[in-house]
Amino acid sequence: MTETNYRTALVTGASSGLGRGLALWLAKRGVRVFATGRRLPQLQALTAEAQAAGVTIEPVEMDVTKPDATMERIRALDAECGGLDLVVANAGVGGTTNAKRLQWERVRGIIDTNVTGAAATLSAVLPNMVERKRGHLVGVSSLAGIRGLAGHAAYSASKAFLSTFMESLRVDLSGTGVRATCIYPGFVKSEMTATNNFPMPFLMETHDAVELMGQGIVRGDAEVSFPWQLAVPTRMAKVLPNPIFDAAARRLR
């Protein structure tokens, strides 16, 4: 079992999917985990599962679309536990936003969670981490943020924001003792992908994706991308000329 040096961790979006899996992964390695989300019953079920496994997860009802309240709550937890060692901005929402029938309400909902919520989560205790000269920030982006996917303008753009945000943090934090990691999942079985009505190549089981996430976080990797079968061609697509990329992207709609 992989050992960690974290005493405490906070994981947002922990009521399901990758966040839920990562919260359990960390707790089973002796980390005191604050699992946050909007759905308290699901968080309580996670707590019960952790107790059955002989570990402890503390549920925290929190809505990252309310950034001021999010920052206040995370700062309170930071003070309560003597300093959060790891903060994972995992909470995210998907959904199509086809330009031909774009709805601002849907765009705004994605931005509120994936952009504003993630930034608030990561910003909440960063000054304290720098002052303590220790800490680790993790942003869960997506391979979808590397280029703009057809029909997913808001989702792709929101994840592109998080990727760039994490990269800049990583550069700025060099030498401070605070690390920054950006995670780029491909398609993973979850509530979010269960509603997708398009092909999802190399769809991964949640537990396999969580293991790759956890291992990469513990190593302190700058970036973690998976599965490699999708990550490699996606990153290669970054350098494709626009006409070639556009033609390929349209066929994937």
Side-chain angles (χ1 to χ4, degrees):
M1 182 176 288
T2 303
E3 298 296 329
T4 80
N5 293 320
Y6 307 118
R7 298 173 301 105
T8 57
L10 180 141
V11 181
T12 67
S15 58
S16 65
L18 292 175
R20 188 181 195 280
L22 183 62
L24 273 172
W25 192 92
L26 290 165
K28 289 177 179 179
R29 285 154 180 82
V31 183
R32 180 185 180 187
V33 179
F34 297 97
T36 85
R38 291 180 292 184
R39 298 176 294 177
L40 186 58
Q42 283 86 339
L43 294 176
Q44 291 171 333
L46 170 61
T47 298
E49 183 176 345
Q51 289 175 340
V55 298
T56 302
I57 289 178
E58 300 180 37
V60 179
E61 188 175 11
M62 191 175 78
D63 183 353
V64 299
T65 66
K66 300 174 181 177
D68 293 339
T70 292
M71 294 188 71
E72 183 179 348
R73 189 72 176 98
I74 294 175
R75 286 170 177 166
L77 290 171
D78 186 64
E80 173 192 324
C81 71
L84 289 165
D85 295 326
L86 174 66
V87 173
V88 182
N90 167 78
V93 295
T96 57
T97 48
N98 191 297
K100 296 175 183 176
R101 45 188 180 276
L102 193 67
Q103 296 177 330
W104 165 242
E105 292 77 12
R106 177 167 287 190
V107 173
R108 182 175 61 188
I110 292 172
I111 291 172
D112 285 348
T113 301
N114 298 5
V115 175
T116 308
T121 298
L122 295 164
S123 301
V125 295
L126 179 52
N128 292 346
M129 285 183 171
V130 172
E131 185 176 348
R132 293 191 291 259
K133 296 183 172 57
R134 61 178 174 82
H136 194 170
L137 298 176
V138 177
V140 180
S141 180
S142 170
L143 291 176
I146 293 177
R147 292 210 69 161
L149 297 184
H152 291 79
Y155 182 73
S156 289
S158 71
K159 293 304 186 179
F161 165 85
L162 184 54
S163 300
T164 304
F165 189 69
M166 293 305 303
E167 186 169 54
S168 292
L169 290 184
R170 188 182 75 242
V171 173
D172 286 346
L173 292 170
S174 178
T176 66
V178 181
R179 294 179 293 176
T181 296
C182 191
I183 298 178
Y184 296 83
F187 295 110
V188 178
K189 289 183 179 180
S190 67
E191 288 183 14
M192 185 185 298
T193 58
T195 61
N196 289 346
N197 58 1
F198 54 84
M200 293 182 286
F202 307 108
L203 180 66
M204 294 185 68
E205 296 291 338
T206 304
H207 62 84
D208 292 330
V210 166
E211 184 65 28
L212 292 173
M213 289 173 65
Q215 295 280 357
I217 290 170
V218 170
R219 288 194 302 265
D221 292 350
E223 296 182 348
V224 181
S225 303
F226 55 84
W228 69 265
Q229 299 96 326
L230 187 59
V232 171
T234 301
R235 291 192 177 278
M236 290 176 63
K238 185 70 175 175
V239 298
L240 283 177
N242 287 337
I244 297 176
F245 171 77
D246 291 357
R250 290 189 194 102
R251 286 198 292 270
L252 295 176
R253 284 186 295 194

